[in-house]
Amino acid sequence: MKINNFLKKQRMRRGTPKINKLSFSSVLIIIGMLLNKTVGFIREMSIADAYGASATADIYLLAYMLPFVIFSILTSAIKSTFIPVFTDVKNKYGEAAALNLANSFINAMGLIGILIALSGVLLADYYVPIFAYGYEGQSLETAILLTRIMFPMVLILTVSSAISAILQVYSKFFIQTIVWTPHNIIIILYNVILSRHYGIEGLAVATIVAAFTQIAFQLPAAIKVGFKYKVACNFKDKYLKKMIKLMIPIFIGSGIVQINILVDKTLASNLVQGSIASLNFANRVYTLPIAIFVVSIGTAAYPELSRVARKSKRELSELTIKLLRVLTVILLPIATLMLVLRYEIIQILFERGEFDSRATALTATALFYYSFGMIGIAFRDILGRSFYALQDTKSPMINGTITVIMNIILNFVLIQYLDHGGLALATSIAHITTALLLLYTLNKKINLNLYHFMIFFIKIIFVSVILGVLAFAMKNLLSEFNVLFITSFSSAISLLLYVILLKKLKIEEFDYLASQIKEIIK
């Protein structure tokens, strides 16, 4: 079944307008993500300009990472479990009952956030030295201080994430997509105006102040859809218990993944100065297309995946494969260009102020190895959502646990040969392995017809390799020109060839993407 026919059938079933709801929601999220990620990149550029890939930047990023890891575990569980259970309650008992459940859920998450935040502040002297074992003296003291300042962020962002989940149910995608924009603007303003006066400690304070804007930014939209906050939590509610029960495997699975991130940063703290910062900046670059396309499409698709999962495994299988195919067409050429043009990309984005050529080399090396795992992250995200749509939270946890253990082992092996590049490569191998395990497990549940998908995937790899060879040749041919011109022209010519080859090979996802762009322009 061709993708356009499939989506057309979905529109006929639901009586949706010309642009189907999934595509329109994806477009809104992509626009929001572009805005959010652009401002986010300016934030990273402001940090790079103020601190470079230095020990100071490393300390801040390590201290920021510790509460953010906890938040990431919580938000993954919140958004994966809230939507299907809330939708179930709304369909059975009405909107008022569902909103009461949402209120109890937010209060329960807030209580968890308070307990974690207090523990993080009070126990910083004990756990920070474990993760910052490469630091001592004043550097370690500063890391502990910054961690204490920023740890209450766990509470603030957890509540914000719960509000985002409510907005997502009501298809208010744009608001919750750009929620980090005002947050990032505050950090940018601090770095530009105040960083020279108040230093890295002031940046930590600005970070915690910025976090409050997320709740303030989303709350009016939540109230508009009918949410009314009450200081009440019905812990006996069977659906609240169901949410918490479903969250436990995700907590464990996400926790294991985040432990791996902590191991990465801990090992990097013992490498050359700037290793943590270079890994962070490279991570920001290669996750940009993931945020714009994978998160956008996945977020918009999740309510639809949940809907078709209740009806038919065949429809769920078809929609899952269609999502994987579309993302493959989009992301493989982007990953290839990042591999080939890594130095030029980092130069354009970051090389100014305190961010020198040494920092560019460190970051470009990390970007090279990270780029191999981009498609693995995309597949992991979509396949994970398909499992959650089936209310199966255990399979992703089990598969994730296996690959994280493998990742940690690879960290210790590859760091011996590739330094911080070894950490990035281990991460990429883990992402690809996770995707393969999830693909295998989900195929046993709903029959994904993988043979045809693999033929398609090999075609896109072949075309992407041709794109990469052309980009490399163009880069060398234009070596005397400005780096911005080299990168832009090489990318444009290579992508033009990619599009021509897709058309020649009759890749139906190209026609689908082209038709959606035309409809949006109209």
Side-chain angles (χ1 to χ4, degrees):
M1 183 185 294
K2 292 188 177 295
I3 190 166
N4 284 319
N5 293 336
F6 176 77
L7 292 170
K8 184 177 179 181
K9 185 184 288 186
Q10 296 300 311
R11 288 198 295 271
M12 292 174 62
R13 286 174 184 164
R14 297 190 298 275
T16 52
K18 188 177 182 182
I19 299 179
N20 64 78
K21 188 176 180 182
L22 177 57
S23 296
F24 184 70
S25 298
S26 297
V27 170
L28 278 180
I29 298 173
I30 288 171
I31 293 170
M33 281 291 183
L34 280 170
L35 173 62
N36 191 50
K37 286 298 177 179
T38 299
V39 177
F41 250 104
I42 296 171
R43 178 202 65 202
E44 294 300 314
M45 291 164 67
S46 72
I47 294 173
D49 182 62
Y51 306 104
S54 64
T56 302
D58 283 354
I59 291 169
Y60 168 78
L61 292 169
L62 180 69
Y64 178 84
M65 175 200 64
L66 294 172
F68 193 80
V69 159
I70 304 296
F71 157 70
S72 297
I73 295 170
L74 289 169
T75 193
S76 177
I78 288 169
K79 292 187 176 181
S80 298
T81 58
F82 179 83
I83 292 173
V85 178
F86 181 93
T87 303
D88 191 24
V89 172
K90 185 181 176 183
N91 290 338
K92 287 182 179 178
Y93 305 108
E95 192 166 31
L99 289 171
N100 282 333
L101 173 64
N103 188 83
S104 292
F105 184 69
I106 285 179
N107 283 322
M109 293 303 99
L111 181 59
I112 292 171
I114 289 171
L115 294 173
I116 293 173
L118 283 174
S119 300
V121 170
L122 296 174
L123 301 175
D125 283 331
Y126 300 98
Y127 65 83
V128 172
I130 297 172
F131 299 109
Y133 83 96
Y135 298 145
E136 55 185 19
Q138 184 59 47
S139 296
L140 180 58
E141 289 179 13
T142 303
I144 292 171
L145 173 63
L146 298 187
T147 302
R148 281 204 170 106
I149 293 172
M150 290 190 283
F151 220 95
M153 187 169 62
V154 172
L155 168 61
I156 302 163
L157 295 183
T158 297
V159 173
S160 171
S161 182
I163 297 172
S164 290
I166 295 172
L167 295 178
Q168 193 172 327
V169 170
Y170 286 93
S171 299
K172 303 297 181 182
F173 297 113
F174 188 73
I175 294 293
Q176 54 110 16
T177 300
I178 63 171
V179 70
W180 283 87
T181 300
H183 179 284
N184 290 332
I185 288 172
I186 289 175
I187 294 175
I188 292 166
L189 291 174
Y190 173 82
N191 286 326
V192 172
I193 300 171
L194 300 173
S195 61
R196 289 174 181 162
H197 301 288
Y198 300 103
I200 203 71
E201 292 85 357
L203 179 57
V205 174
T207 301
I208 197 72
V209 170
F212 279 105
T213 64
Q214 296 203 20
I215 295 176
F217 190 72
Q218 293 183 103
L219 198 54
I223 292 171
K224 193 172 180 179
V225 300
F227 175 73
K228 294 179 181 178
Y229 178 73
K230 293 174 285 187
V231 186
C233 184
N234 182 10
F235 288 105
K236 295 181 180 179
D237 189 311
K238 68 176 183 179
Y239 288 100
L240 179 61
K241 291 179 180 178
K242 182 179 181 179
M243 282 185 186
I244 294 173
K245 182 180 178 181
L246 288 171
M247 286 173 72
I248 291 172
I250 303 177
F251 272 135
I252 297 170
S254 297
I256 292 168
V257 170
Q258 296 302 322
I259 286 171
N260 180 63
I261 293 172
L262 287 172
V263 171
D264 279 3
K265 297 297 189 293
T266 301
L267 291 173
S269 72
N270 208 37
L271 296 174
V272 297
Q273 179 179 304
S275 293
I276 293 177
S278 65
L279 287 168
N280 175 73
F281 293 133
N283 182 274
R284 297 295 183 185
V285 175
Y286 98 100
T287 56
L288 177 62
I290 293 168
I292 292 173
F293 297 109
V294 181
V295 176
S296 303
I297 293 172
T299 299
Y302 188 37
E304 182 68 4
L305 287 168
S306 298
R307 187 191 74 81
V308 299
R310 291 195 299 270
K311 288 182 58 181
S312 163
K313 287 185 177 181
R314 181 184 61 81
E315 285 191 38
L316 178 62
S317 172
E318 289 177 344
L319 182 54
T320 300
I321 287 295
K322 299 303 181 286
L323 292 169
L324 295 181
R325 288 170 67 104
V326 168
L327 289 173
T328 299
V329 168
I330 295 171
L331 293 178
L332 275 183
I334 295 175
T336 304
L337 288 175
M338 283 189 179
L339 285 166
V340 175
L341 301 170
R342 56 193 181 279
Y343 287 102
E344 292 77 12
I345 291 169
I346 299 303
Q347 275 185 292
I348 293 168
L349 292 174
F350 297 118
E351 195 172 296
R352 60 186 59 82
E354 295 297 318
F355 199 98
D356 55 17
S357 58
R358 171 187 169 275
T360 295
L362 282 170
T363 307
T365 298
L367 179 60
F368 176 79
Y369 291 111
Y370 273 140
S371 298
F372 289 104
M374 185 184 293
I375 198 68
I377 297 177
F379 282 20
R380 183 197 66 188
D381 186 87
I382 297 301
L383 294 168
R385 291 176 191 270
S386 294
F387 276 108
Y388 299 147
L390 292 166
Q391 297 194 16
D392 177 1
T393 57
K394 290 182 180 179
S395 295
M397 178 196 73
I398 294 169
N399 291 332
T401 302
I402 293 169
T403 52
V404 165
I405 293 170
M406 181 190 74
N407 191 0
I408 292 172
I409 294 170
L410 285 173
N411 277 339
F412 284 98
V413 174
L414 295 176
I415 198 175
Q416 305 296 322
Y417 304 98
L418 300 170
D419 296 324
H420 71 298
L423 299 176
L425 180 58
T427 299
S428 291
I429 293 171
H431 289 322
I432 294 169
T433 305
T434 301
L436 290 173
L437 287 174
L438 288 173
L439 204 59
Y440 173 77
T441 308
L442 189 61
N443 183 56
K444 291 201 298 184
K445 282 180 171 287
I446 61 174
N447 187 18
L448 294 170
N449 194 7
L450 291 180
Y451 175 74
H452 294 291
F453 176 72
M454 291 310 299
I455 292 174
F456 158 83
F457 191 78
I458 291 168
K459 287 181 182 179
I460 304 302
I461 289 178
F462 173 73
V463 177
S464 296
V465 169
I466 295 174
L467 171 146
V469 171
L470 178 60
F472 182 78
M474 293 296 297
K475 179 180 75 167
N476 290 316
L477 186 65
L478 301 171
S479 59
E480 299 300 320
F481 289 85
N482 175 274
V483 65
L484 181 59
F485 178 78
I486 293 171
T487 307
S488 303
F489 193 76
S490 299
S491 299
I493 296 299
S494 301
L495 288 171
L496 178 61
L497 176 63
Y498 180 76
V499 168
I500 292 170
L501 290 174
L502 288 184
K503 193 71 177 173
K504 290 288 184 183
L505 290 171
K506 298 181 180 180
I507 301 296
E508 61 190 40
E509 283 69 26
F510 170 75
D511 294 329
Y512 165 69
L513 290 169
S515 68
Q516 291 304 311
I517 292 170
K518 289 177 184 177
E519 288 182 345
I520 292 162
I521 292 172
K522 290 177 184 179

